[in-house]
Amino acid sequence: MAAASSSSTESPKTTTERRGIPGAQFVEDVETYLTQTGFDVNSALAFLQERLQQYKLVEMKLLAQQRDLQAKIPDIEKCLDVVATLEAKKGTGEALIADFEVSEGIYSRARIEDNDSVCLWLGANVMLEYSCEEATSLLKKNLENAKASLEVLIADLQFLRDQVTVTQVTIARVYNWDVHQRRIRQIAASSTSKDS
Amino acid sequence: MILKGTGGSETEVTWEDQQNINKFGRLNNRFHELEDEIKVAKEAIDNLEDASNELILTDEEVVRFQIGEVFAHVPKEEVETRIEEMKELNSKNLEKLEEEKESVVAQMAELKKILYGKFKDSINLEED
């Protein structure tokens, strides 16, 4: 952002886009912006409003993805917990007794003997048997991936929110400029009519 | 947060101002996220407190401790240790969140000073 590119015609104050999200161009001066784009005030406002709506849509999508990931991560951590507990019990030779839910409000008791493998639910009606170590490393890898995806998603959301803010500020400035212009025209019109 | 014009006054918005406004927006969002996370962490700590209190009162030797989706039969001492560990973890987490929240609030106050200084009435940075 601090790169000085004096010969470039693009203002270095725009990141043109990020993963499909168009960047909002920062407007140095409203008048220049309107003459450059050839918009009149109303079309400029309409264009910016539409951009804002598009941003809002993308924001909803990203927020939904973020919620999914944030639910997935504790799930994976719980699985890791269980595998770790089973591994810990392995050495002692005693069985693990656990109560599990059969249906809502109904629990059954299970006796889990010493064993070396666990089955992991991979989704899409698929369950695979793994040794405890393999299971732990698979779960840990999934957890890493989920956390990394979440970080990228959060960065995307921040970028998006910045673009929304820039667009909102631009809308306000275009509108104010228009009000300012009308006022000037009004004063000019009333003063000429007074003179004539 | 809005930027409204007061009649004829036309304060120019520079790129630096825009960046400050963006930063304020980001900090505000983070502030609300932190408040939610702090609430969750406090609830978790309260629950652990209640659990360890119940544990002291009970005279059973084996406690059903939730691991993942099942309740494993775990001897009482082990449960006590586990609960202590979880309380430690949660307290540290809460401390970290509170610290971050304080820093965010301080940064927001700084930015408010700068932005109100330049734009005075033309900008509103309060919660609606």
Side-chain angles (χ1 to χ4, degrees), chain A residues 78 97-99 161-162 172 180, chain B residues 8 26 29 64 69 71 73:
Chain A
K78 277 197 226 170
I97 304 185
D99 295 341
R161 291 215 176 100
D162 279 353
H180 190 65
Chain B
R26 273 206 297 271
N29 282 332
R64 280 163 277 281
E69 293 298 321
F71 294 88
H73 290 210

Side-chain angles (χ1 to χ4, degrees), chain B residues 1-84:
Chain B
M1 178 197 86
I2 46 163
L3 197 69
K4 68 182 194 321
T6 45
S9 72
E10 177 89 4
T11 334
E12 274 315 310
V13 179
T14 64
W15 176 234
E16 197 185 321
D17 294 326
Q18 181 66 71
Q19 284 181 291
N20 281 341
I21 297 175
N22 285 352
K23 187 161 170 212
F24 185 84
R26 273 206 297 271
L27 286 172
N28 196 23
N29 282 332
R30 183 69 192 135
F31 175 72
H32 287 298
E33 281 175 19
L34 280 171
E35 288 215 309
D36 287 338
E37 285 178 30
I38 286 176
K39 199 172 85 159
V40 166
K42 282 198 173 145
E43 272 176 28
I45 290 182
D46 280 342
N47 286 340
L48 287 171
E49 261 311 312
D50 290 343
S52 66
N53 289 340
E54 281 295 321
L55 206 56
I56 298 172
L57 296 170
T58 186
D59 47 359
E60 285 184 38
E61 251 319 299
V62 173
V63 182
R64 280 163 277 281
F65 185 77
Q66 181 178 25
I67 303 180
E69 293 298 321
V70 304
F71 294 88
H73 290 210
V74 184
K76 198 163 138 187
E77 297 85 38
E78 196 181 324
V79 177
E80 276 174 2
T81 331
R82 284 207 193 214
I83 291 191
E84 283 308 312

Side-chain angles (χ1 to χ4, degrees), chain A residues 59-102:
Chain A
E59 189 178 351
M60 304 262 90
K61 202 176 69 167
L62 288 181
L63 279 174
Q65 284 179 351
Q66 185 189 22
R67 271 195 300 270
D68 283 340
L69 272 176
Q70 278 175 333
K72 211 163 101 168
I73 288 177
D75 258 351
I76 304 179
E77 286 174 348
K78 277 197 226 170
C79 291
L80 267 172
D81 247 347
V82 175
V83 177
T85 313
L86 282 175
E87 270 194 286
K89 276 289 192 196
K90 230 175 11 181
T92 65
E94 44 179 75
L96 180 69
I97 304 185
D99 295 341
F100 62 96
E101 193 174 17
V102 178

Side-chain angles (χ1 to χ4, degrees), chain A residues 128-191:
Chain A
L128 272 185
E129 186 171 353
Y130 291 93
S131 75
C132 281
E133 292 86 34
E134 282 175 344
T136 317
S137 64
L138 179 69
L139 286 171
K140 282 206 173 125
K141 192 167 69 87
N142 285 350
L143 192 63
E144 290 302 319
N145 289 344
K147 286 189 174 165
S149 301
L150 189 64
E151 270 182 36
V152 171
L153 202 68
I154 289 180
D156 281 349
L157 267 171
Q158 283 190 334
F159 172 77
L160 185 67
R161 291 215 176 100
D162 279 353
Q163 306 316 306
V164 166
T165 315
V166 171
T167 312
Q168 284 172 330
V169 169
T170 311
I171 289 177
R173 286 168 66 203
V174 169
Y175 183 78
N176 290 348
W177 182 84
D178 185 44
V179 166
H180 190 65
Q181 292 298 102
R182 282 177 205 266
R183 203 153 292 206
I184 292 179
R185 281 201 295 268
Q186 217 177 28
I187 294 175
S190 63
S191 65

